[in-house]
């Protein structure tokens, strides 16, 4: 491929809507591509970019000033947005893999219909799951991965649908997740042998139970099936193993199997953001907070602009005893992204835990609205009415009554009812609903032994029996 073709592709991206409003982002992308074309891809380091693009002093401390990492995260997001919209039909895709600064080109060619059965498998040097032309036209060399089996070349239309799906998935709203699920499904119909849309489908289901109130038993079952299919198609996909690990941990309670899958994902691709992020959430569920925060830090280094990582990290910081730091991070994220569900949900839980009823009600209302969850909204309205008439005691009574009514109709998780019972001082009812949550295999049961809502039941024999039952069901050692 001639450098003129690359320059034309770059010019088209720089003139697009996602890049038109940011001179800084345009300058960054142009610098990276031009340096690679000049044979200097190997010299693209964080400090070099900070000095050349962002005019930092040559001796500046990259640990204190993360501008390059932050802007790289934003650049990758804008490239994804471009190729999901204006650039959906482009033959050349400029990609910058996470964990580095050297660009690469993905060349999309029309899918050919074979006139005869494929030849026996041959070993080949390839990038991930696409045909890649390395940006190094003047001598630059970038490392490639070795796969001793034939790599599926996706149908161009299926790949375009997948990229659009990832764009909507990253928005993490009920409407965007359903839109992403539709796009991934269409990609699979177009090319059933393409693994990435199956991963995308699994990731949608893994989030729909949190961001759109899909019943978690249904969500995790579908997520696990899609992730397993992705692993079957492409056993070397780190993302597929990470998705399978997440649904196996929270959905199937296969803690040991999930940890193996997470570690497999990270060994396949140490720069897989999702593997580090979701492994961190699983480790936190096990109470291994130091390990969890280390994984969060790594995920954040790889993708500093991810609001999802920041929100989850903020809540885990709070749970791990770094309460002020976690609360500050969540408040900051809420202020910058007021329509993002996660910080609202976490802040509502924190305020409810700490007795800040006024702020709890504000966050609970907004979280219910953002998730389009009518049941959560009904609980909020009951809590608000109770608070207005009888303060905290009235709020607790009205909230619990609304939750029990919804639970009796099969519309509310038993674990949440149990937590409200515990905070209302109803120990007998608490154990009753926890037993129901265990029988229903609700994912929150995994954190029961570390949930501060149940701290008053530590010496209750019935509660300790439940903890032992959970340990047997999951293979986790009792704490």
């Amino acid at each position: 491929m001639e450098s003129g073709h690359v320059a034309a592709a770059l010019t088209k991206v720089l003139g697009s809507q996602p890049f038109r409003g940011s001179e800084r982002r345009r300058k960054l992308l142009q610098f990276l591509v031009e340096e690679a074309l000049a044979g200097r891809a190997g010299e693209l380091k964080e400090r070099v970019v900070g000095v050349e693009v962002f005019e930092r002093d040559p001796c500046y401390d990259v640990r204190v000033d993360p501008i390059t990492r932050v802007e790289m995260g934003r650049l990758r997001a804008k490239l994804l947005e471009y190729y999901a919209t204006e650039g959906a039909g482009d033959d050349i895709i400029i990609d910058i893999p996470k964990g580095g600064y050297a660009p690469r080109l993905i060349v999309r060619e029309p899918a050919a219909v074979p006139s005869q059965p494929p030849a026996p498998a041959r070993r080949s040097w390839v990038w991930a799951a696409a045909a890649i032309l390395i940006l190094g036209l003047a001598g630059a060399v970038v490392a490639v991965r070795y796969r001793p089996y034939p790599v599926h070349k996706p149908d161009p239309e299926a790949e375009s649908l997948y990229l659009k799906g990832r764009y909507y998935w990253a928005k993490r709203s009920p409407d965007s997740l359903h839109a992403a699920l539709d796009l991934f499904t269409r990609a699979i119909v177009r090319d059933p042998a393409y693994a990435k849309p199956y991963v995308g489908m699994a990731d949608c289901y893994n989030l729909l139970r949190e961001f759109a109130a899909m019943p978690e038993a249904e969500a995790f079952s579908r997520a696990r099936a899609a992730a397993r299919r992705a692993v079957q198609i492409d056993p070397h996909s780190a993302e597929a193993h990470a998705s399978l690990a997440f649904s196996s941990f929270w959905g199937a309670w296969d803690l040991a199997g999930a940890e193996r899958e997470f570690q497999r994902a990270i060994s396949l691709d140490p720069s897989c953001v999702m593997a580090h992020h979701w492994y961190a959430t699983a480790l936190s569920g096990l109470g291994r907070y130091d390990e969890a925060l280390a994984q969060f830090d790594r995920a954040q280094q790889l993708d500093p602009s991810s609001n999802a990582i920041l929100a989850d990290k903020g809540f885990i910081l709070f749970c791990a005893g770094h309460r002020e730091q976690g609360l500050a991070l969540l408040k900051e994220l809420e202020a910058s992204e007021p329509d993002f569900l996660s910080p609202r949900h976490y802040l509502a839980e924190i305020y409810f835990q700490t007795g800040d009823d006024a702020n709890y009600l504000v966050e609970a209302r907004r979280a219910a609205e953002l998730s389009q969850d009518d049941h959560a909204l009904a609980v909020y309205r009951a809590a608000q009415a109770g608070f207005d008439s009888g303060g905290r005691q009235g709020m607790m009574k009205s909230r619990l009554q609304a939750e029990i009514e919804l639970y009796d109709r099969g519309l509310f998780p038993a674990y949440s009812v149990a937590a409200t019972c515990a905070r209302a001082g109803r120990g007998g009812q608490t154990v009753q609903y926890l037993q129901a949550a265990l029988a229903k295999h609700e994912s929150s049961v995994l954190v029961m032994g570390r949930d501060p809502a149940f701290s008053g039941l530590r010496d209750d024999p019935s509660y300790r029996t439940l903890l032992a039952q959970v340990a047997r069901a999951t293979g986790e050692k009792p704490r």
Side-chain angles (χ1 to χ4, degrees), residues 142-177:
V142 216
V144 296
R145 294 190 178 92
Y146 180 62
R147 288 189 174 181
Y149 66 93
V151 176
H152 177 70
K153 184 176 181 179
D155 172 86
E157 179 62 22
E159 187 173 33
S160 178
L161 289 166
Y162 168 76
L163 290 171
K164 289 180 182 178
R166 276 302 179 192
Y167 168 67
Y168 286 108
W169 179 83
K171 289 178 175 290
R172 281 173 161 79
S173 72
D175 291 338
S176 70
L177 287 171

Side-chain angles (χ1 to χ4, degrees), residues 35-116:
E35 286 296 291
L37 288 174
R40 293 188 289 270
E43 300 174 18
L44 290 172
K45 307 295 183 184
E46 181 176 357
R47 185 185 304 279
V48 172
V49 176
V51 171
E52 297 296 331
V53 178
F54 305 117
E55 301 178 353
R56 293 301 193 260
D57 185 274
C59 298
Y60 89 104
D61 190 340
V62 297
R63 296 170 299 177
V64 175
D65 185 352
I67 184 170
T68 298
R69 281 174 278 132
V70 170
E71 289 300 327
M72 284 298 298
R74 292 171 178 167
L75 173 60
R76 291 186 181 99
K78 286 299 179 182
L79 283 171
L80 186 59
E81 178 182 346
Y82 168 73
Y83 289 114
T85 53
E86 293 181 45
D90 288 8
D91 294 329
I92 300 173
I93 297 175
I94 300 173
D95 178 42
I96 307 173
K98 290 176 180 177
Y101 300 94
R104 65 180 183 178
L105 293 183
I106 299 175
V107 182
R108 294 197 295 204
E109 300 175 0
V113 178
S115 58
Q116 58 186 9

Side-chain angles (χ1 to χ4, degrees), residues 345-365:
H345 172 75
Y346 289 141
L347 285 170
E349 176 62 23
I350 289 171
Y351 291 139
F352 188 60
Q353 281 185 29
T354 56
D356 187 345
D357 299 331
N359 277 320
Y360 153 69
L361 289 165
V362 170
E363 300 299 345
R365 176 186 62 81

Side-chain angles (χ1 to χ4, degrees), residues 91-362:
D91 294 329
I92 300 173
I93 297 175
I94 300 173
D95 178 42
I96 307 173
K98 290 176 180 177
Y101 300 94
R104 65 180 183 178
L105 293 183
I106 299 175
V107 182
R108 294 197 295 204
E109 300 175 0
V113 178
S115 58
Q116 58 186 9
R122 296 182 179 179
R123 296 186 175 188
S124 58
W125 291 89
V126 295
W127 281 103
I132 301 299
L133 173 65
I134 299 172
L135 265 176
L137 303 176
V141 178
V142 216
V144 296
R145 294 190 178 92
Y146 180 62
R147 288 189 174 181
Y149 66 93
V151 176
H152 177 70
K153 184 176 181 179
D155 172 86
E157 179 62 22
E159 187 173 33
S160 178
L161 289 166
Y162 168 76
L163 290 171
K164 289 180 182 178
R166 276 302 179 192
Y167 168 67
Y168 286 108
W169 179 83
K171 289 178 175 290
R172 281 173 161 79
S173 72
D175 291 338
S176 70
L177 287 171
H178 283 295
L181 185 59
D182 177 67
L183 288 162
F184 293 140
T185 302
R186 289 164 56 192
I188 290 170
V189 171
R190 180 83 184 188
D191 188 351
Y194 185 24
K196 286 188 175 182
Y198 290 98
V199 179
M201 178 178 286
D203 295 341
C204 282
Y205 287 125
N206 277 329
L207 294 186
L208 279 167
R209 44 137 209 128
E210 177 183 355
F211 288 87
M214 174 179 280
E216 68 174 25
E218 175 187 355
F220 281 132
S221 175
R222 294 186 178 189
R224 204 167 185 219
R228 279 176 167 170
R229 181 59 182 145
V231 170
Q232 288 173 353
I233 294 173
D234 186 358
H236 286 67
S237 167
E239 292 83 359
H241 285 280
S243 295
L244 179 58
F246 188 89
S247 57
S248 295
F249 185 92
W250 295 105
W253 293 6
D254 180 7
L255 309 192
E259 185 151 25
R260 286 194 300 270
E261 290 293 335
F262 278 126
Q263 291 174 353
R264 173 67 171 150
I266 292 170
S267 69
L268 285 168
D269 183 2
S271 298
C272 179
V273 176
M274 185 182 297
H276 292 286
H277 179 190
W278 283 0
Y279 189 24
T281 66
L283 289 167
S284 64
L286 296 171
R288 292 158 58 181
Y289 294 123
D290 289 343
E291 294 174 75
L293 290 172
Q295 291 294 330
F296 273 123
D297 288 344
R298 181 58 181 145
Q300 192 176 356
Q301 289 168 1
L302 292 168
D303 191 359
S305 63
S306 171
N307 292 329
I309 294 171
L310 290 174
D312 290 346
K313 182 180 180 181
F315 187 63
I316 299 309
L317 280 167
F318 184 89
C319 294
H322 308 285
R323 297 165 72 95
E324 291 185 5
Q325 185 181 355
L327 191 58
L329 179 56
L330 289 169
K331 286 181 176 179
E332 180 181 350
L333 185 55
E334 179 187 54
S336 62
E337 299 289 341
D339 292 332
F340 183 37
L341 172 62
S342 291
R344 298 281 187 177
H345 172 75
Y346 289 141
L347 285 170
E349 176 62 23
I350 289 171
Y351 291 139
F352 188 60
Q353 281 185 29
T354 56
D356 187 345
D357 299 331
N359 277 320
Y360 153 69
L361 289 165
V362 170

